Amino acid sequence: MAKIPINIATGSLQKDEMIVGIDLGTTNSLVAIIHPDTGKPIVLKEHNSSALVPSIIHFDKNANIVVGDEAKQFLISEPQQTIFSAKRLMGKSYNDIKQRADFFSYKILDDDTESLVKIQVGNKFYSPVDLSSFILKELKARAEHILKTPVNKAVITVPAYFNDAQRQATRDAGKLAGLDVLRIINEPTAASLSYGMGINKEENKIIAVYDLGGGTFDVSILRIAGGIFDVLSTNGNTYLGGDDMDKTIVDFWMKKNGMTGEEWLLHDSLKQQLRLKAEEAKKHLSVLDSYTGVLHNAELNITKNEFNQLIAPLIESTLQNCKSALKDAELTVNDIEAVVMVGGSTRVPLVKEKVGAFFDQKVNDTVNPDEVVALGAAIQADILAGNNRDLLLLDITPLSLGLETSGGLMDVLIPRNTKIPAKAARQYTTQVDGQPGMRISVYQGERDMVKDNRKLAEFILSGIPGMPAGMAKVEIAFLINADGILTVAAKELRSGVQQSIEVKPQYGLTDTDVEKMLQDSLLHAKDDIATRALVEAKTEAEQLLKTTEGFLQKNASALSQQELLQTAAAMQALQLAITMDDKNLVQSKTEELNNISRPYAERIMDDAIATAMKGKKL
Ligand code: ADP
Ligand code: MG
C-alpha cells in the first residue's frame, strides 16, 4: 500500500489518482476507498449520516434533479417524477420488462420493440444509462466533498448475472458521470474480497454468496483459484427482497387493526408513512424481540415471532434458488466451503439462521452486509492502483476493441482492462434485402463514434446468399491470445460463409498515446453519449419509417381514410424531427407514430390470424 500525503494547507489528499469502489445498487448505492493511513477499506460518509444513498432520482417541474433520501420522500406523492430501481432497466428492452411493467410507477415508453427502454418524465426522455449516471454523479460529488480531492476513477460492481449489454450500460453510465471506469466486477466477487478470499493466490475453494437486498435476491456459486473468481452458477429472483418483508408487515397491521384500504391506502402520504413504519419495525426486530409504534391513533405492534412467521415462505423460496444454483453447478452443500452474506436484508436473524442451516455451516456475516460489496470494490481498486502495474499492463487490454455499427457507432466487444487471453462474439444482421456482403471495420478506443477512435482493420465478408434484410445471422468473434494478437472472424451462420483477419492492436501505440485516448474519451464523454443517443434514436426512427412504409404498401386498403391521413402526418413529422437532430423530438415523434400505427397493425394481424385459422377448419 502506497501512503498518500496530505496537503496541510488545503487539507486535500496529494495523490493524483484516488480510485474509489462503487456499489451501484438497485435500492442503495455507496462509495468506499482504502484508507490512506490504515490501508483498510472504509465506506465514505458525512458525519452523522449514513453511507447509503437510496438509488432514487426525483425530477421537479423544471427537470432539476435530486438523488438519495431527498428524492425518496417523493416516491408516493410524485410517482411519475420519482425514479427508483433504474438498475433493473439497464440494458433492457421494453419486451424484456413488459410482464413487470406495473412494478414501475413512472412512465416507461411502451414501444414494443427490442430496442433499449426509455423513461419519460414530463416532456423529457431518459435512458437507464442517463438515470444511473445521475446516481453516480451524486456519489462522485459526495466522495469529492468528503475527500476534498477530485474523484475520476472507479471500480463499479454489477450482479454476476448481468450480461454484456448491462455491463456496457454500467460503464457508459460511469463515463457519463465523468468517471473512468477501470473495471466492472461482480458483486459476489467484491463481497468475497472483503472477507479476504481470493487475495492469497494459493487459495483454492468453492463458496456461495447469498445476497438479499431491497428488491432482489441472488445467490452465486464461485470457484476461487489462483486469485481468479469463476462464477459456476447464479440463481435468484429479481423481484424478491426486503421490500416484500415490509409489505407483509403492512398487510399484517391492516388486518389486525381492521384498517380498510379506503381509509389507509387511498391516501398517498398515509401509505408512505405506513410502509416506512413497517421498515422501521423490521429493522428493529433484527435486534429486539418486539416492536411497538403508533400512526394516527392506530397501534402498530408486532413481535419477532409474528414477523418470522410472515417471512418464512419468502426465505424458503430463496433456499429453493440456492438448491437450483447448486444443481446447476453440479455440486452439493458439502462442496461449499464458505457462505458469504450480502445485502441489508441478511441482517434479519431468521435469514442467517435458515441459510446457515441450509448450507450446514456458520455463515460469514462479520462485515456489514450493506457495505460489503462497496468495500470489496475498493479493495479491487487498490489492487488496480497498486504495485502490480507491470503485470497489469501485460495482462489486460489497455483500450476497448469493437466494431463499427449503424450510424458510425462504436460497438465494443472487448472492453478495456479485460484480462487476456479473452474472447467475445456478437451477432449482427443485414440491413438491405439481398445484401451480398458485410463490411467489418475493427476499431480501438473509448469514444462512442468510430471516427474518433483508431481503425485497426477492415474486411468484407462476401458471398452471403440472397435473403431478406434482417434474416442473415453474421456472428463476429474477437479473440485475443496471450500475446495480445487479435483475431477477428466473421461467419454467416445460415450459409456457413466465413472469413477472418489478424491484427496487433498495440502496434505503434505508446503508453502516452493510450493515456491521451483515455483522457479524450473522458473529456468528450458527455457529447459522445449525447451523439450516440441521437444516432440510436435516429436509426430507430428510420427503421420505423421503413417498416411503416412497407406495411402501408401491403395493407393500405385495410386502413380507414383517417388512419391513412394520421399516419402520413406522423411520418412527415418524424421525418422532419430526424433532420432537426433533436433526440427528444425524434423520440416523441417515434412514440406518436407508434401509437397511431399500433392499433391497426394489431387489428390487421388479428384478422390475418383469424383468416388463417378459418382456412384450417374442416
Ligand atoms: P440493494 O443491494 O438492493 O441496493 P441493500 O443491500 O442496500 O439493497 O438492502 C436494502 C434492504 O435491506 C432494504 O429492504 C432494507 O429495509 C433492508 N435492511 C437494511 N437494514 C436492515 C436491518 N437492520 N434489518 C432488516 N433489513 C434491513
Ligand atoms: Mg446490493
Side-chain angles (χ1 to χ4, degrees):
M1 237 320 286
K3 288 247 188 260
I4 299 173
I6 293 181
N7 180 330
I8 303 190
T10 63
S12 68
L13 299 171
Q14 295 286 292
K15 184 151 188 279
D16 46 355
E17 39 187 11
M18 166 64 80
I19 311 180
V20 299
I22 298 182
D23 172 1
L24 181 61
T26 310
T27 318
N28 296 302
S29 300
L30 65 158
V31 185
I33 58 158
I34 299 296
H35 193 284
D37 296 334
T38 65
K40 296 249 152 49
I42 50 158
V43 297
L44 292 182
K45 57 178 165 193
E46 302 277 1
H47 286 297
N48 300 325
S49 77
S50 163
L52 302 187
V53 178
S55 307
I56 302 175
I57 307 149
H58 176 260
F59 297 83
D60 73 7
K61 293 215 165 44
N62 304 317
N64 294 320
I65 295 168
V66 291
V67 171
D69 282 310
E70 244 182 290
K72 192 172 178 177
Q73 65 196 49
F74 293 103
L75 258 188
I76 295 207
S77 59
E78 295 185 14
Q80 307 255 340
Q81 274 126 267
T82 313
I83 313 292
F84 61 94
S85 274
K87 185 175 176 178
R88 293 178 189 281
L89 303 173
M90 291 293 261
K92 294 285 173 87
S93 70
Y94 185 76
N95 284 348
D96 291 333
I97 54 140
K98 71 175 164 201
Q99 249 96 46
R100 290 290 184 163
D102 57 343
F103 173 87
F104 304 92
S105 46
Y106 43 90
K107 181 161 184 212
I108 298 179
L109 291 191
D110 163 7
D111 58 3
D112 228 341
T113 67
E114 295 300 331
S115 51
L116 297 177
V117 290
K118 284 164 228 94
I119 286 90
Q120 186 176 5
V121 182
N123 55 5
K124 289 220 159 120
F125 296 86
Y126 301 95
S127 69
V129 171
D130 294 329
L131 299 171
S132 292
S133 85
F134 296 146
I135 296 171
L136 289 170
K137 251 185 222 158
E138 173 72 21
L139 296 175
K140 178 180 188 292
R142 286 188 191 206
E144 288 175 336
H145 187 243
I146 295 167
L147 295 170
K148 301 195 170 37
T149 180
V151 170
N152 296 315
K153 299 188 174 194
V155 168
I156 304 181
T157 60
V158 297
Y161 58 79
F162 256 29
N163 64 22
D164 239 28
Q166 294 170 301
R167 284 166 201 262
Q168 187 57 40
T170 306
R171 271 179 191 279
D172 284 349
K175 204 160 146 188
L176 195 52
L179 289 168
D180 180 3
V181 182
L182 295 187
R183 196 169 285 185
I184 297 280
I185 67 167
N186 288 331
E187 288 162 11
T189 300
S192 331
L193 283 172
S194 291
Y195 279 96
M197 297 174 191
I199 295 191
N200 176 354
K201 297 262 191 285
E202 317 289 74
E203 192 177 2
N204 195 335
K205 63 171 159 189
I206 295 178
I207 67 164
V209 181
Y210 178 102
D211 183 347
L212 189 59
T216 59
F217 166 66
D218 51 275
V219 54
S220 313
I221 312 287
L222 307 181
R223 170 181 282 130
I224 307 175
I228 309 254
F229 291 76
D230 246 342
V231 181
L232 300 181
S233 69
T234 66
N235 210 289
N237 183 341
T238 42
Y239 289 87
L240 182 83
D243 298 346
D244 298 284
M245 297 186 182
D246 306 346
K247 268 179 221 142
T248 62
I249 298 180
V250 168
D251 292 344
F252 172 79
W253 281 339
M254 303 238 333
K255 207 152 136 199
K256 193 164 154 194
N257 290 332
M259 291 142 81
T260 63
E262 258 174 42
E263 198 181 322
W264 283 86
L265 293 188
L266 290 181
H267 202 295
D268 283 346
S269 94
L270 274 182
K271 200 157 128 188
Q272 172 79 331
Q273 286 171 35
L274 198 57
R275 272 197 210 169
L276 290 176
K277 280 280 179 201
E279 188 178 5
E280 181 182 303
K282 172 184 75 176
K283 290 183 177 171
H284 196 89
L285 294 175
S286 287
V287 277
L288 296 168
D289 284 333
S290 66
Y291 172 85
T292 329
V294 253
L295 185 62
H296 305 288
N297 305 326
E299 270 192 34
L300 304 175
N301 305 330
I302 184 165
T303 67
K304 192 166 178 169
N305 272 337
E306 288 166 328
F307 175 61
N308 283 350
Q309 274 178 22
L310 293 175
I311 60 166
L314 187 154
I315 302 175
E316 187 49 43
S317 90
T318 67
L319 298 180
Q320 289 302 324
N321 293 126
C322 293
K323 225 181 244 173
S324 308
L326 283 172
K327 187 157 171 269
D328 290 346
E330 296 178 4
L331 296 171
T332 69
V333 161
N334 297 328
D335 298 313
I336 303 298
E337 289 160 84
V339 179
V340 173
M341 299 300 264
V342 182
S345 302
T346 62
R347 284 237 178 75
V348 174
L350 188 67
V351 172
K352 290 189 213 186
E353 196 181 297
K354 294 262 185 180
V355 174
F358 175 87
F359 286 103
D360 196 20
Q361 59 192 288
K362 194 177 167 340
V363 298
N364 288 282
D365 62 354
T366 50
V367 182
N368 201 332
D370 36 37
E371 297 179 353
V372 66
V373 168
L375 294 171
I379 295 172
Q380 176 66 260
D382 193 48
I383 295 173
L384 288 175
N387 319 316
N388 307 334
R389 194 169 288 272
D390 294 339
L391 189 93
L392 199 79
L393 284 175
L394 271 182
D395 268 341
I396 59 163
T397 57
L399 293 167
S400 303
L401 296 163
L403 288 176
E404 173 172 2
T405 57
S406 335
L409 288 178
M410 170 90 172
D411 195 17
V412 172
L413 268 88
I414 299 188
R416 67 183 274 249
N417 280 333
T418 301
K419 234 176 138 57
I420 60 172
K423 60 179 177 205
R426 205 165 287 165
Q427 278 189 18
Y428 298 86
T429 189
T430 44
Q431 288 183 331
V432 185
D433 288 342
Q435 187 176 325
M438 189 182 264
R439 181 191 303 275
I440 292 155
S441 309
V442 184
Y443 285 84
Q444 175 179 44
E446 310 312 308
R447 303 284 301 273
D448 284 308
M449 304 298 294
V450 291
K451 68 173 172 50
D452 300 316
N453 287 329
R454 187 167 177 256
K455 190 176 203 170
L456 292 178
E458 184 168 276
F459 65 98
I460 290 178
L461 175 68
S462 52
I464 301 176
M467 41 186 139
M471 281 296 283
K473 275 191 184 169
V474 177
E475 184 176 271
I476 303 186
F478 278 34
L479 181 88
I480 311 181
N481 68 12
D483 301 327
I485 309 284
L486 171 69
T487 306
V488 178
K491 180 174 185 180
E492 202 289 306
L493 299 177
R494 293 179 194 277
S495 59
V497 176
Q498 58 182 313
Q499 218 154 309
S500 69
I501 196 169
E502 231 178 52
V503 267
K504 280 191 192 144
Q506 260 58 275
Y507 190 74
L509 205 60
T510 66
D511 283 358
T512 332
D513 294 338
V514 171
E515 194 57 36
K516 166 127 197 353
M517 288 174 82
L518 294 179
Q519 271 169 5
D520 277 355
S521 81
L522 274 180
L523 199 65
H524 298 287
K526 225 178 151 164
D527 293 341
D528 271 10
I529 291 178
T531 312
R532 172 182 278 270
L534 174 65
V535 171
E536 281 170 354
K538 280 166 73 171
T539 308
E540 193 187 329
E542 275 156 7
Q543 198 59 44
L544 178 66
L545 283 172
K546 214 159 107 185
T547 43
T548 311
E549 219 159 88
F551 185 87
L552 287 181
Q553 262 165 24
K554 275 195 213 126
N555 302 296
S557 59
L559 265 53
S560 71
Q561 193 61 24
Q562 197 201 2
E563 283 170 338
L564 287 170
L565 285 173
Q566 274 181 339
T567 308
M571 286 176 77
Q572 210 167 35
L574 180 55
Q575 199 66 264
L576 187 67
I578 293 175
T579 59
M580 284 166 58
D581 277 352
D582 176 340
K583 183 195 75 134
N584 275 308
L585 194 65
V586 172
Q587 283 173 333
S588 67
K589 295 296 164 197
T590 302
E591 165 88 341
E592 276 169 30
L593 178 56
N594 259 321
N595 284 341
I596 290 172
S597 59
R598 190 176 306 125
Y600 62 70
E602 279 170 6
R603 188 182 74 219
I604 290 169
M605 189 104 87
D606 288 349
D607 285 353
I609 293 173
T611 317
M613 298 299 278
K614 236 184 248 160
K616 284 210 179 96
K617 265 188 195 148
L618 293 175

